[in-house]
Amino acid sequence: MSDVSPPSPAPARTAARTAAVIPAAGRGVRLGPGAPKALRALNGTPMLIHALRALAASRAVSLVVVVAPPDGAAEVKSLLDAHALPERTDFLVVPGGDSRQESVKLGLDALPPEYDIVLVHDAARPLVPVDTVDAVIEAVRDGAVAVVPALPLTDTVKEVEPAETPGEPEPVVATPRRARLRAVQTPQGFDRATLIRAHETVTGDVTDDAGMVEQLGLTVVTVPGHEEAFKVTRPLDLVLAEAVLARRRLNDGF
C-alpha cells in the first residue's frame, strides 16, 4: 500500500470576485466598410452594448473592462454613457493595442487586485445567454483554471492542404473524428493569476486565450455552450442576430 496521498482537488472559491474583459478594438472587415465591428448596430443598438448587458446580466460579474480601439476610448466611453446599463455593474474603458492579444493584456492590466476570476468575451458575441456566463464562472469557482463554452459540431470537418491561390481545389489530408471536436465560444473564464502568466509567457500568434493556457501545459475544460452565442462576423450573421432578438422580444412580451 502506498504512503503517497493523492493530490487534493483545487479548492472551490465561492467568494471569488469576477470581472470581464471585452476586447472591442477590431475593425471587423468581413462585415464590410463602416464602424468598428463592436459598434455596428444590432436592432438599433451597438453590438458592444448588447454584449455588455449580456455579461452584466450575471449577478456574479461586478466589473466589465472594455478595451476600445487605440484612438477610440473617448468615443466608446460616450457610447456607454448614452445607453442604460445595469447599475450594480461597474464599467471601465481603456485603449487597446494593435492585436487582440495585446488588447486583452491591457484589459488585464486595468483590473483592480480584488478580482480573482476573469472572463474574456468577444464583443461580436452580443447574444450570449446569462446561463452560459454563469456556467463558466461556476466551473472556475469549482477549481478549473480555464473554462470555455463549447458546442458539438454538426458538420463533418476536413483537414486540407491549403491552396496557394484562393478558390483553387484543395486536397483533403484527413477527416478528424467529429465526436472529439467542439466549436468554442466565449466568454472564456480563467483563474486570474493563470491568465496573467499565460499573457506574460506565450508570445506566439493565438486565436483565443484558452489556447495560451494550453501552451502552459495546463488543462482547459469545456462547459455546454449555446446556439445563440454565435459570433457576428459576416452580414448574414447580422440578419440571424436580428431574428434572435425578434424572437426574444416575442417570447418576453416586449
Side-chain angles (χ1 to χ4, degrees):
M1 180 176 178
S2 173
D3 292 332
V4 179
S5 301
S8 300
R13 299 179 303 164
T14 56
R17 299 191 68 187
T18 301
V21 174
I22 299 184
R27 298 299 306 178
V29 293
R30 283 176 288 184
L31 275 176
K37 178 163 56 175
L39 306 186
R40 300 293 181 93
L42 179 58
N43 193 36
T45 300
M47 281 199 292
L48 174 60
I49 299 300
H50 285 287
L52 287 170
R53 289 171 175 166
L55 289 178
S58 170
R59 293 188 174 275
V61 177
S62 53
L63 171 67
V64 180
V65 177
V66 180
V67 188
D71 58 351
E75 178 185 0
V76 171
K77 180 66 167 61
S78 297
L79 188 72
L80 267 59
D81 291 340
H83 289 82
L85 296 170
E87 293 183 359
R88 67 170 182 271
T89 306
D90 293 326
F91 298 93
L92 176 65
V93 179
V94 299
D98 295 330
S99 68
R100 183 186 186 280
Q101 190 170 343
E102 184 180 352
S103 291
V104 172
K105 177 62 166 59
L106 290 168
L108 283 173
D109 291 344
L111 290 180
E114 63 266 24
Y115 290 93
D116 300 310
I117 296 175
V118 181
L119 305 180
V120 181
H121 184 58
D122 296 330
R125 296 183 190 272
L127 304 179
V128 58
V130 66
D131 288 349
T132 302
V133 179
D134 286 339
V136 170
I137 295 170
E138 191 63 30
V140 180
R141 284 179 170 175
D142 286 344
V145 297
V147 181
V148 297
L151 290 175
L153 298 186
T154 57
D155 295 323
T156 296
V157 175
K158 301 290 185 182
E159 181 181 352
V160 302
E161 186 65 41
E164 293 184 3
T165 304
E168 290 293 314
E170 298 176 324
V172 172
V173 298
T175 303
R177 288 179 55 197
R178 189 172 66 185
R180 295 177 60 89
L181 300 177
R182 297 291 184 270
V184 172
Q185 303 175 325
T186 69
Q188 299 183 355
F190 304 91
D191 164 73
R192 178 183 180 163
T194 299
L195 184 57
I196 289 175
R197 180 157 70 94
H199 276 270
E200 291 175 343
T201 305
V202 179
T203 57
D205 190 25
V206 293
T207 56
D208 71 345
D209 297 270
M212 300 174 70
V213 174
E214 289 177 52
Q215 291 191 38
L216 296 179
L218 301 176
T219 299
V220 176
V221 302
T222 69
V223 296
H226 196 281
E227 62 181 4
E228 292 182 1
F230 62 90
K231 192 173 186 178
V232 178
T233 303
R234 296 175 174 85
L236 184 59
D237 299 327
L238 283 170
V239 176
L240 179 58
E242 294 275 7
V244 171
L245 283 175
R247 185 177 67 180
R248 288 183 179 180
R249 287 195 302 272
L250 181 64
N251 291 340
D252 294 341
F254 63 87

